[in-house]
Structures are given as C-alpha cells and as structure tokens.
Amino acid sequence: MIEFAQVCKRYPNGQEALKQVSFELADGEMAFLTGHSGAGKSTLLKLICLMERATSGQVIINGRNFNRISRRKIPTVRRDIGMIFQDHRLLFDRSVFDNVALPLLIAGYPHREIGRRVRAALDKVGLLSKEKHSPIILSGGEQQRVGIARAVVNKPPLLLADEPTGNLDPDLSAEIMHLFEQFNQVGVSLLIASHDLSLIARMHYRTLVMKEGQLVQDQEVANHSEVS
Ligand code: ADP
Ligand code: ADP
C-alpha cells in the first residue's frame, strides 16, 4: 500500500525534514508513526497525500509512483486516501451531514448515492442521530468522529491520521483507536502519527519511530488478529 525508497524531503528554506526514509506498509496493515515534535511525521504523511513532493527517492502508494503524478491528477489520486487531522478541520457553519458529504460533492457523486454513503459513514462512527446538528455543539470526541466519517465516506483503501487523539482524554482516545481497528478489520490500511506513547504501547501494532528526519526504529508487534 505504501512504499518509500530512500525518500528525502528538503523544504525550500533548506530544512531537511526527511533523510533517506525507506519502509513499506502492506495492504491491510495498520501501523503507528511516532517520534518527537519536528521528527518528520507530518512531512511523511504529507508526501503520502501529495500535499508535498519528495526531493529525491521513490514514493509509491497503492501501486502508483507519486514521482510521476502530474499536478492535474492530484485531486483524483487523493480520493483514495482518507486524511484525519488533530483539529479535525470541520466546517462549523454546515451540518454534520454536509461536512461528511463534502468529499462526495466535490467528486461529483449523484445526490441519492451521497445520502446513502454519508449515512453509512455516520453509522460506522455512531453518529447517525446527529446528522442535522452543527458540529459546533458536539463534544471533542464526537467532532473527531465526524472527521473520521468524512475521511472514510469515499471508502478509501488507505487512511492517514495526524495526531488524531491529540486533543482528547485517554478514554476518548481509546474509542477513536477502536474505530480505527474496526476499519482495519475490513481491510483498510492505516498509518497513524501520534506521540502518545502510552496509547501506542497498549495497542500492540507495528510502530515506526522517527528522529530528526530518519526512521530509527521499526518495531513489529504480534498482530492483534492473531492474538484475539
Ligand atoms: P513532526 O510532524 O514530527 O512534528 P514535521 O514533519 O512537521 O515533524 O517537521 C519536520 C521538520 O521540517 C521540522 O524541522 C520542521 O520545522 C520542518 N518543516 C515542516 N514543514 C516545513 C515547511 N513547510 N517549511 C520548512 N520547514 C518545515
Ligand atoms: P456498500 O458496499 O453498499 O457501499 P457500506 O457502505 O455499508 O455498503 O460498506 C460495505 C462494507 O465495506 C462495510 O462492511 C464497510 O465496513 C466496508 N468498508 C471497506 N472499506 C471501507 C472504508 N474505507 N471505510 C468504511 N467502510 C469500509
């Protein structure tokens, strides 16, 4: 699903955010990405969702070589990747339904299909009853679940999350992680950037550790599905 081969990223100001990063994430795999602030986690995720381009090396996502994707094709390629942000980036002047529908509207789905898919996504995150509300009245955990519904509404094979539980207390964080596991169980690949080490330790998934732009550790852990 994800293949990085000796990927370097140097920002225009000269900052080297990624140095020779190589790793693979298999189809259907879920892994964490961790490391101190400034280690390069967000940059790595941005290369996968084409918000930034690699300076050198190969980025291959879902069989597509991102070095060869033209600017014009970026929106189409991005549809296959669901992004979840720490601050969830919801639009507070629109309903929960409309927030989740946005990616489908942009992609030009027919009206009826949008209704069906949005409700399926809201059902998966347990928020079907709140579709008409404004996200502003929801709790932090619920807002993040709306963000997750929006990310999965297209049914992308790959989900990326950047500090998805950064603003949540431990119980709500565990709830969000449980949701991610449910998507993983139906075959979705996930890469989750987080510096919540205690949460990661409890989850028993592969963990990639970054330090100063380099991948310094890649720890495989017994897979959950094998344990349970
Ligand atoms: P993390 O997500 O692990 O905190 P980042 O990927 O955000 O790390 O940042 C890695 C390094 O790249 C840091 O030194 C950061 O200051 C730098 N950086 C991030 N974005 C930019 C940018 N747009 N321009 C210049 N430097 C950047
Ligand atoms: P339909 O296939 O008719 O659109 P659903 O939207 O309910 O029906 O999804 C069917 C199945 O696909 C569900 O079991 C769902 O969990 C699973 N699925 C596969 N990939 C994803 C994804 N990226 N996001 C959400 N569900 C997914």
Side-chain angles (χ1 to χ4, degrees):
M1 180 58 63
I2 299 177
E3 191 183 333
F4 269 52
Q6 307 203 317
V7 173
C8 297
K9 172 63 185 178
R10 184 194 298 271
Y11 283 109
N13 67 356
Q15 177 67 42
E16 264 194 296
L18 296 180
K19 300 167 192 163
Q20 303 278 339
V21 172
S22 301
F23 76 99
E24 287 181 24
L25 186 85
D27 284 2
E29 193 175 0
M30 166 159 149
F32 287 102
L33 180 64
T34 191
H36 293 298
S37 176
K41 306 181 294 295
S42 298
T43 300
L44 191 150
L45 295 182
K46 282 178 183 164
L47 294 183
I48 301 172
C49 64
L50 281 162
M51 284 163 73
E52 293 286 352
R53 307 296 282 256
T55 307
S56 63
Q58 303 270 335
V59 176
I60 299 168
I61 308 296
N62 208 3
R64 274 186 155 123
N65 189 328
F66 275 17
N67 301 54
R68 297 202 205 104
I69 298 227
S70 65
R71 234 164 224 290
R72 198 169 47 82
K73 288 233 174 82
I74 290 177
T76 320
V77 173
R78 263 199 203 136
R79 263 175 230 165
D80 282 343
I81 302 163
M83 268 299 285
I84 293 146
F85 307 94
Q86 171 167 4
D87 57 1
H88 49 69
R89 306 198 184 169
L90 301 175
L91 302 170
F92 284 154
D93 61 344
R94 300 185 194 200
S95 68
V96 165
F97 181 99
D98 287 346
N99 269 276
V100 177
L102 209 56
L104 303 179
L105 276 172
I106 293 168
Y109 278 79
H111 191 74
R112 268 191 54 207
E113 180 73 3
I114 290 178
R116 198 182 67 75
R117 287 202 179 217
V118 169
R119 294 199 174 92
L122 284 173
D123 187 36
K124 275 169 206 146
V125 301
L127 287 176
L128 201 46
S129 63
K130 310 243 162 136
E131 62 168 287
K132 294 199 175 71
H133 293 47
S134 159
I136 205 162
I137 64 161
L138 302 183
S139 69
E142 287 174 331
Q143 288 176 349
Q144 191 52 290
R145 274 148 59 200
V146 177
I148 294 171
R150 184 187 52 194
V152 303
V153 73
N154 254 341
K155 292 209 189 169
L158 174 62
L159 286 181
L160 304 177
D162 198 353
E163 300 290 349
T165 62
N167 294 326
L168 301 177
D169 68 34
D171 283 351
L172 289 174
S173 299
E175 217 174 80
I176 297 293
M177 288 302 162
H178 183 60
L179 261 179
F180 287 153
E181 286 188 299
Q182 288 176 338
F183 289 116
N184 183 236
Q185 276 156 16
V186 296
V188 178
S189 308
L190 291 100
L191 185 60
I192 304 160
S194 172
H195 54 235
D196 189 344
L197 294 177
S198 64
L199 182 70
I200 293 173
R202 268 180 273 129
M203 299 279 299
H204 306 290
Y205 282 90
R206 179 181 173 196
T207 303
L208 303 162
V209 185
M210 296 197 65
K211 191 180 175 190
E212 292 166 9
Q214 286 179 305
L215 201 57
V216 293
Q217 208 183 339
D218 184 351
Q219 214 170 337
E220 299 277 355
V221 183
N223 199 295
H224 244 163
S225 54
E226 289 163 21
V227 178
S228 54

